[in-house]
């Protein structure tokens, strides 16, 4: 498919998961923020229309996208990072959006075709959990999709659903950039010891079984919750949280996958 005039991105990646609450938005926001800090022109697109969270995690909930004759103007987060989300459209954030599939596809198409991003190195797309309308629409409509990043937690149920995401990607012929195991172990904020409260290594095992790359593990880290709630992605506080270093390795792995490193 040809790239539209408005979407001119060298690389495009979709973050998805089989299960809710495993850390997709955390990964998408921190990946986008990290790439922008590395000087990459980055767009962050939120296609989670029912539970849009990127604005909150970036601390830009009060900002608004503008609609001009030539399209949607994204919110500029920093000089290399722009964001688009239904949460930046001015709708009441407490009001649930009640839309069926076709209406959602229309919005997603507009987000993919009518946003004036300017030239991007990366477009990172955050999706809602599962293999429903939104990830399907994105994967079918996004031009030049490099691949999907699948986030899981170490528990069996989540890994089982991550497998489904891999099979979904295969079914629709989109490459898998890799699996990330999030909330993998817990780093005690007091003694910095790595405590194994959940299992560990199930994400890696699933990646090996399914023959897809394993991008890395991020520990459960109490500071992440705080940084997300305060709207300061932990990628901004490099070195200060237990997850920063593992996350940087993941970013490296993703850049290798896209041929950008
Ligand atoms: N490694 C981690 N350590 C501690 N907290 C985390 C970690 N990763 C994510 N969280 C927290 O867990 C919660 C859920 O994360 P997030 O919103 O990124 O998940 P999600 O997969 O996008 O959820 P949804 O399916 O609802 O979109 C957030 O409060 C986030 O700050
Ligand atoms: Mg989310």
């Amino acid at each position: 498919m040809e790239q539209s005039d408005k979407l001119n991105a060298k690389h495009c990646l979709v973050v998805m998961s089989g299960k809710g609450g495993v850390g997709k938005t955390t990964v998408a926001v921190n990946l986008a923020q990290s790439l922008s800090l590395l000087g990459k022109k980055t767009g962050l697109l939120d296609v989670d229309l029912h539970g849009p969270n990127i604005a909150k995690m970036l601390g830009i909930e009060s900002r608004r996208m503008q609609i001009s004759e030539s399209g949607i103007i994204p919110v500029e987060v920093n000089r290399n990072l722009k964001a688009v989300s239904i949460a930046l459209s001015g709708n009441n954030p407490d009001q649930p959006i009640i839309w069926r599939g076709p209406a959602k596809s229309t919005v997603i198409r507009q987000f993919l075709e009518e946003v004036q991003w300017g030239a991007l190195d990366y477009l990172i797309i955050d999706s809602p959990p599962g293999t429903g309308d939104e990830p399907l629409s994105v994967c079918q409509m996004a031009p030049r999709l490099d691949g999907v990043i699948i986030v899981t937690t170490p528990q069996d149920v989540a890994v089982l659903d991550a497998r489904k995401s891999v099979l979904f990607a295969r079914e629709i012929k989109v490459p898998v950039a890799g699996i990330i195991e999030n909330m993998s172990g817990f780093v005690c904020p007091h003694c910095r010891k790595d405590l194994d409260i959940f299992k560990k290594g199930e994400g890696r095992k699933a990646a090996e079984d399914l023959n897809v790359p394993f991008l890395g593990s991020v520990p459960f880290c109490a500071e992440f919750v705080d940084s997300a709630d305060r709207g300061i992605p932990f990628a901004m506080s490099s070195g200060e949280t237990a997850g920063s270093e593992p996350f940087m390795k993941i970013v490296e792995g993703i850049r290798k996958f896209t041929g950008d490193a």
Side-chain angles (χ1 to χ4, degrees):
M1 203 193 292
E2 283 293 299
Q3 291 238 15
S4 73
D5 295 348
K6 310 260 166 47
L7 179 57
N8 170 14
K10 284 188 197 149
H11 303 292
C12 183
L13 293 154
V14 180
V15 182
M16 61 181 291
S17 74
K19 228 180 200 16
V22 294
K24 288 173 298 300
T25 306
T26 303
V27 165
V29 163
N30 282 282
L31 173 59
Q33 187 74 257
S34 304
L35 290 166
S36 76
L37 294 175
L38 292 168
K40 304 284 171 190
K41 294 282 179 202
T42 307
L44 179 58
L45 171 59
D46 188 357
V47 299
D48 189 338
L49 304 176
H50 297 288
N53 289 143
I54 66 157
K56 169 78 183 157
M57 284 199 198
L58 284 168
I60 55 167
E61 316 96 291
S62 60
R63 309 266 306 273
R64 293 288 166 260
M65 307 182 295
Q66 302 298 319
I67 312 286
S68 80
E69 284 207 341
S70 49
I72 300 168
I73 319 280
V75 167
E76 207 166 311
V77 184
N78 67 40
R79 55 194 286 269
N80 291 327
L81 180 59
K82 291 174 181 167
V84 162
S85 168
I86 200 85
L88 297 167
S89 65
N91 288 342
N92 175 356
D94 294 330
Q95 188 69 37
I97 291 179
I98 303 169
W99 280 337
R100 292 191 195 278
K104 291 195 269 189
S105 307
T106 305
V107 174
I108 291 171
R109 184 177 291 282
Q110 282 178 336
F111 279 178
L112 286 169
E113 294 181 356
E114 293 176 22
V115 176
Q116 289 192 314
W117 296 105
L120 292 178
D121 293 306
Y122 281 91
L123 180 70
I124 307 298
I125 304 176
D126 184 26
S127 62
T131 51
D133 285 324
E134 294 86 340
L136 185 61
S137 298
V138 162
C139 289
Q140 289 177 334
M141 291 184 217
R144 285 199 220 154
L145 194 58
D146 290 55
V148 297
I149 298 168
I150 295 166
V151 183
T152 184
T153 50
Q155 298 93 331
D156 282 349
V157 274
V159 175
L160 197 73
D161 288 338
R163 287 172 185 272
K164 273 193 206 158
S165 302
V166 173
L167 300 182
F168 164 84
R170 287 203 177 130
E171 186 78 25
I172 58 169
K173 301 194 167 35
V174 174
V176 176
I179 293 180
I180 296 173
E181 182 174 299
N182 188 30
M183 307 192 200
S184 173
F186 169 68
V187 179
C188 171
H190 304 293
C191 65
R192 295 264 150 206
K193 232 180 166 173
D194 194 351
L195 307 167
D196 228 349
I197 47 167
F198 297 137
K199 279 197 255 185
K200 246 180 167 183
E202 295 299 305
R204 180 188 290 277
K205 228 166 80 203
E208 281 167 7
D209 288 353
L210 292 159
N211 203 19
V212 296
F214 181 66
L215 290 165
S217 317
V218 180
F220 190 96
C221 175
E223 288 125 320
F224 286 8
V225 182
D226 189 43
S227 71
D229 286 355
R230 285 189 300 132
I232 304 167
F234 63 85
M236 298 282 289
S237 49
S238 180
E240 286 170 30
T241 70
S244 304
E245 206 185 306
F247 195 80
M248 284 304 160
K249 288 213 176 95
I250 289 171
V251 174
E252 262 173 50
I254 289 168
R255 290 185 60 201
K256 264 193 203 131
F257 171 81
T258 58
D260 178 40

